[in-house]
Amino acid sequence: MSAFIGATVTYQKHLKAEALSIHRNLTPLWRRRYGGHVVNGRRTEGKRLALLEAPGAAGITLRDVLSERTCPEDRMLALIPGDPRLARILAQLKPEEQAVMLALGLNGVVTWAEAAEYAGADDPPVFGERVRRKVLRLAAEQRRRDVLRRPGPPSDLRRPGQKGEQEGAST
């Protein structure tokens, strides 16, 4: 009989531990307590997680009280390209074309038509294609100018002989 009672107590402990674990898992985060300590064998009260949308005094939420983490300049700085080649191309575009090109760099905008739609064009597929062609043309012109700006080889560089001459052959 005592073996039966001992087994029952063991099963009760496991069942209680399992129920407590399930209860903890099903308790919402904002109702859980964390950071409690055990002092003199007693568990001290922990703290609760505060929701940003929890109403406070006079209907003000915690989100209203927190300071904003963005700077006023962030929106403007996001529009300044880091690559000087891109800045040169943007400088040659009209403002509505610039809006399409900058929209293409946003998350979720994949095609030129989507970028034109995001920028508010009247006919997004046609306008997006026109901006795409213009940007490709301007990029090709920038590459051509960059090649012309590159310094050539030094003038004292030996060039191979021409018309069948052997290199290093003396005359």
PDB file of all heavy atoms in Angstrom, residues 9 76 79 85 109 112 121 159 164:
ATOM      1  N   VAL A   9       2.080   9.955  -5.167  1.00  0.00           N
ATOM      2  CA  VAL A   9       2.677  11.251  -4.828  1.00  0.00           C
ATOM      3  C   VAL A   9       3.659  11.668  -5.915  1.00  0.00           C
ATOM      4  O   VAL A   9       3.688  12.837  -6.321  1.00  0.00           O
ATOM      5  CB  VAL A   9       3.363  11.179  -3.445  1.00  0.00           C
ATOM      6  CG1 VAL A   9       4.179  12.425  -3.167  1.00  0.00           C
ATOM      7  CG2 VAL A   9       2.340  10.965  -2.348  1.00  0.00           C
ATOM      8  N   MET A  76      15.780  63.028 -44.747  1.00  0.00           N
ATOM      9  CA  MET A  76      16.536  63.706 -45.785  1.00  0.00           C
ATOM     10  C   MET A  76      17.845  62.970 -46.076  1.00  0.00           C
ATOM     11  O   MET A  76      18.249  62.828 -47.224  1.00  0.00           O
ATOM     12  CB  MET A  76      16.826  65.150 -45.371  1.00  0.00           C
ATOM     13  CG  MET A  76      17.558  65.935 -46.425  1.00  0.00           C
ATOM     14  SD  MET A  76      16.705  65.954 -48.000  1.00  0.00           S
ATOM     15  CE  MET A  76      15.621  67.300 -47.779  1.00  0.00           C
ATOM     16  N   LEU A  79      17.765  60.092 -48.468  1.00  0.00           N
ATOM     17  CA  LEU A  79      17.639  60.389 -49.897  1.00  0.00           C
ATOM     18  C   LEU A  79      18.969  60.733 -50.547  1.00  0.00           C
ATOM     19  O   LEU A  79      19.057  60.784 -51.772  1.00  0.00           O
ATOM     20  CB  LEU A  79      16.663  61.559 -50.097  1.00  0.00           C
ATOM     21  CG  LEU A  79      15.240  61.303 -49.628  1.00  0.00           C
ATOM     22  CD1 LEU A  79      14.414  62.563 -49.798  1.00  0.00           C
ATOM     23  CD2 LEU A  79      14.622  60.146 -50.388  1.00  0.00           C
ATOM     24  N   ARG A  85      28.534  58.325 -58.378  1.00  0.00           N
ATOM     25  CA  ARG A  85      27.995  58.059 -59.717  1.00  0.00           C
ATOM     26  C   ARG A  85      26.479  58.148 -59.708  1.00  0.00           C
ATOM     27  O   ARG A  85      25.862  58.700 -60.615  1.00  0.00           O
ATOM     28  CB  ARG A  85      28.445  56.676 -60.208  1.00  0.00           C
ATOM     29  CG  ARG A  85      29.953  56.562 -60.376  1.00  0.00           C
ATOM     30  CD  ARG A  85      30.361  55.157 -60.675  1.00  0.00           C
ATOM     31  NE  ARG A  85      29.988  54.313 -59.529  1.00  0.00           N
ATOM     32  CZ  ARG A  85      30.120  53.009 -59.506  1.00  0.00           C
ATOM     33  NH1 ARG A  85      30.586  52.365 -60.542  1.00  0.00           N
ATOM     34  NH2 ARG A  85      29.782  52.324 -58.444  1.00  0.00           N
ATOM     35  N   VAL A 109       9.863  47.072 -53.372  1.00  0.00           N
ATOM     36  CA  VAL A 109       9.725  47.623 -54.718  1.00  0.00           C
ATOM     37  C   VAL A 109      10.755  46.926 -55.600  1.00  0.00           C
ATOM     38  O   VAL A 109      11.952  47.098 -55.418  1.00  0.00           O
ATOM     39  CB  VAL A 109       9.942  49.155 -54.724  1.00  0.00           C
ATOM     40  CG1 VAL A 109       9.806  49.702 -56.123  1.00  0.00           C
ATOM     41  CG2 VAL A 109       8.961  49.826 -53.795  1.00  0.00           C
ATOM     42  N   TRP A 112      10.476  48.597 -62.120  1.00  0.00           N
ATOM     43  CA  TRP A 112      10.377  50.025 -62.405  1.00  0.00           C
ATOM     44  C   TRP A 112       8.908  50.472 -62.397  1.00  0.00           C
ATOM     45  O   TRP A 112       8.604  51.590 -61.985  1.00  0.00           O
ATOM     46  CB  TRP A 112      11.033  50.348 -63.742  1.00  0.00           C
ATOM     47  CG  TRP A 112      12.526  50.267 -63.676  1.00  0.00           C
ATOM     48  CD1 TRP A 112      13.301  49.191 -63.974  1.00  0.00           C
ATOM     49  CD2 TRP A 112      13.422  51.308 -63.273  1.00  0.00           C
ATOM     50  NE1 TRP A 112      14.624  49.500 -63.774  1.00  0.00           N
ATOM     51  CE2 TRP A 112      14.726  50.795 -63.355  1.00  0.00           C
ATOM     52  CE3 TRP A 112      13.253  52.616 -62.851  1.00  0.00           C
ATOM     53  CZ2 TRP A 112      15.844  51.549 -63.038  1.00  0.00           C
ATOM     54  CZ3 TRP A 112      14.366  53.366 -62.535  1.00  0.00           C
ATOM     55  CH2 TRP A 112      15.645  52.829 -62.621  1.00  0.00           C
ATOM     56  N   ALA A 121       3.034  58.022 -60.289  1.00  0.00           N
ATOM     57  CA  ALA A 121       2.924  58.319 -61.716  1.00  0.00           C
ATOM     58  C   ALA A 121       1.527  57.981 -62.216  1.00  0.00           C
ATOM     59  O   ALA A 121       0.851  57.095 -61.678  1.00  0.00           O
ATOM     60  CB  ALA A 121       3.969  57.525 -62.503  1.00  0.00           C
ATOM     61  N   ARG A 159      56.555  50.102 -75.983  1.00  0.00           N
ATOM     62  CA  ARG A 159      55.485  49.481 -76.736  1.00  0.00           C
ATOM     63  C   ARG A 159      56.094  48.410 -77.626  1.00  0.00           C
ATOM     64  O   ARG A 159      57.201  48.572 -78.140  1.00  0.00           O
ATOM     65  CB  ARG A 159      54.759  50.522 -77.584  1.00  0.00           C
ATOM     66  CG  ARG A 159      54.039  51.527 -76.728  1.00  0.00           C
ATOM     67  CD  ARG A 159      53.269  52.471 -77.570  1.00  0.00           C
ATOM     68  NE  ARG A 159      52.605  53.438 -76.685  1.00  0.00           N
ATOM     69  CZ  ARG A 159      52.177  54.599 -77.074  1.00  0.00           C
ATOM     70  NH1 ARG A 159      52.310  54.971 -78.329  1.00  0.00           N
ATOM     71  NH2 ARG A 159      51.599  55.409 -76.224  1.00  0.00           N
ATOM     72  N   GLY A 164      55.838  43.627 -87.789  1.00  0.00           N
ATOM     73  CA  GLY A 164      56.742  42.497 -87.813  1.00  0.00           C
ATOM     74  C   GLY A 164      58.070  42.735 -87.140  1.00  0.00           C
ATOM     75  O   GLY A 164      58.920  41.875 -87.162  1.00  0.00           O
TER      76      GLY A 164
END
